Amino acid sequence: MKITTLFVAITSLVLALTVGNLVVADSHAESAKPSESLATDVNTTQVSTQTGGVETPENVIGDPQQTADPAPEKLDQASIVPQSDEDKAKGVEVWGNIYKVLSHPRCVNCHVEDDRPRWSGKQYGKTQLHGMYVHATATRVGMPGQQMCSTCHAKTNSDVPHGPPGAEVWALAPPEMVWWGKSSDELCAIVKDPAKTGGRDITAFADHIGHDPLVAWGWEPGIGREPAPFSADETVAMLEQWLALGLPCPE
Ligand code: HEC
Ligand code: HEC
């Protein structure tokens, strides 16, 4: 009699632990998924698995980005200044055109601090929060298991007016990359501050513009939407020119 009770107790304990583990593993899998679309998170994960969490001098100094992308050393942007007044004036002018791209509705609608994508630009009439109660949440891709961006945003644009636009990935930019509502001088300081660019220097920033499918969407936004000005290649060239002129910001 006693042994049976003990047996039952142990069996239920084992069962409870197994179920508990399954639940934990499951919710982990779910929460890990959305963040995989953000390169920064992926890089961080790679670093910790590769080093096993042990901090040798190399990984302390080593830059997480370099593990996945053997990029050259980061620019020391604080020390880059125009070499002449002429360079400064020309550089500020070049920045003005870069600002036209970065502050365009096709870009800033996703680069917001809160978790509400914006509907702004000519085709929307007035600027508004994304309809249908869309919240990106901390995942930046919607509520896990409920309404995700990909529920509506496919990998290509809808060909129906006011249908959901689409790209390879569709996510709200991380909250530190806030461009919405920023003036030219504010945004200039932001793109030069690695704390607000996910650690990217201007070279890596330009590279993202040249290669990211989501950025490319800004120039192929689908029916009814006006594309961002210039082109991705021209924007990359402007960023290179701005760098060569000492990265001046308007005052
Ligand atoms: C219920 C469907 C649905 C969901 C879920 C959804 N969207 Fe949308 N989204 C749309 C539709 C439809 C439009 C186009 C509206 C229009 O053109 O009038 C749109 C437009 C947008 C735009 C504006 C694009 C532009 O510049 O014109 C952004 C930005 C956007 N969505 C981001 C997101 C993000 C980020 C998520 C996930 C957090 C998301 N959406 C989830 C349906 C959805
Ligand atoms: C649908 C949402 C969305 C739209 C539209 C969008 N972005 Fe982004 N953007 C993101 C996300 C998400 C990231 C983070 C990607 C990462 O870090 O890998 C990002 C990151 C960036 C970065 C890297 C920023 C940094 O500070 O390091 C640049 C540059 C960028 N976007 C440029 C643009 C430009 C230019 C446009 C318009 C032509 C644009 N984006 C439109 C979602 C968007």
Side-chain angles (χ1 to χ4, degrees):
M1 200 52 174
K2 260 194 183 154
I3 290 177
T4 323
T5 321
L6 190 67
F7 179 75
V8 170
I10 290 174
T11 317
S12 19
L13 187 70
V14 169
L15 206 75
L17 285 174
T18 321
V19 172
N21 273 342
L22 283 179
V23 170
V24 171
D26 205 44
S27 66
H28 183 76
E30 231 181 59
S31 65
K33 231 183 195 167
S35 59
E36 269 168 24
S37 58
L38 303 180
T40 2
D41 284 7
V42 173
N43 288 344
T44 322
T45 324
Q46 280 173 353
V47 170
S48 49
T49 29
Q50 279 173 13
T51 59
V54 185
E55 294 205 335
T56 65
E58 284 100 340
N59 357 323
V60 175
I61 302 164
D63 157 27
Q65 299 263 340
Q66 286 182 7
T67 323
D69 172 22
E73 248 177 56
K74 272 193 193 153
L75 300 169
D76 175 15
Q77 271 157 206
S79 69
I80 299 175
V81 290
Q83 296 306 304
S84 67
D85 286 351
E86 220 169 79
D87 278 9
K88 189 173 171 181
K90 181 79 188 118
V92 168
E93 200 183 308
V94 173
W95 163 259
N97 285 331
I98 298 169
Y99 179 70
K100 281 183 195 158
V101 175
L102 303 185
S103 62
H104 191 271
R106 289 299 79 69
C107 306
V108 293
N109 281 348
C110 274
H111 282 257
V112 297
E113 189 167 16
D114 56 27
D115 78 334
R116 310 293 307 274
R118 300 300 197 274
W119 280 356
S120 80
K122 273 180 205 138
Q123 81 280 16
Y124 292 103
K126 65 174 174 42
T127 294
Q128 52 198 302
L129 295 174
H130 195 301
M132 299 169 285
Y133 202 67
V134 164
H135 281 263
T137 74
T139 65
R140 311 308 267 174
V141 289
M143 302 174 207
Q146 296 181 40
Q147 199 189 40
M148 309 293 285
C149 308
S150 57
T151 309
C152 303
H153 293 274
K155 290 188 190 294
T156 54
N157 289 322
S158 155
D159 49 16
V160 178
H162 293 286
E168 205 49 48
V169 258
W170 197 265
L172 208 56
E176 71 270 17
M177 299 177 189
V178 188
W179 302 354
W180 176 267
K182 300 295 180 192
S183 64
S184 178
D185 53 330
E186 286 169 342
L187 194 54
C188 190
I190 288 172
V191 306
K192 283 170 68 175
D193 180 355
K196 293 174 181 164
T197 61
R200 290 186 181 93
D201 63 13
I202 290 299
T203 312
F205 187 92
D207 190 63
H208 186 88
I209 292 191
H211 295 103
D212 185 71
L214 189 39
V215 179
W217 169 85
W219 283 282
E220 300 275 341
I223 189 164
R225 294 186 181 82
E226 77 280 21
F230 303 101
S231 68
D233 287 347
E234 282 171 314
T235 308
V236 171
M238 292 192 293
L239 283 160
E240 281 162 1
Q241 200 188 355
W242 183 48
L243 174 60
L245 292 166
L247 303 177
C249 284
E251 282 161 358

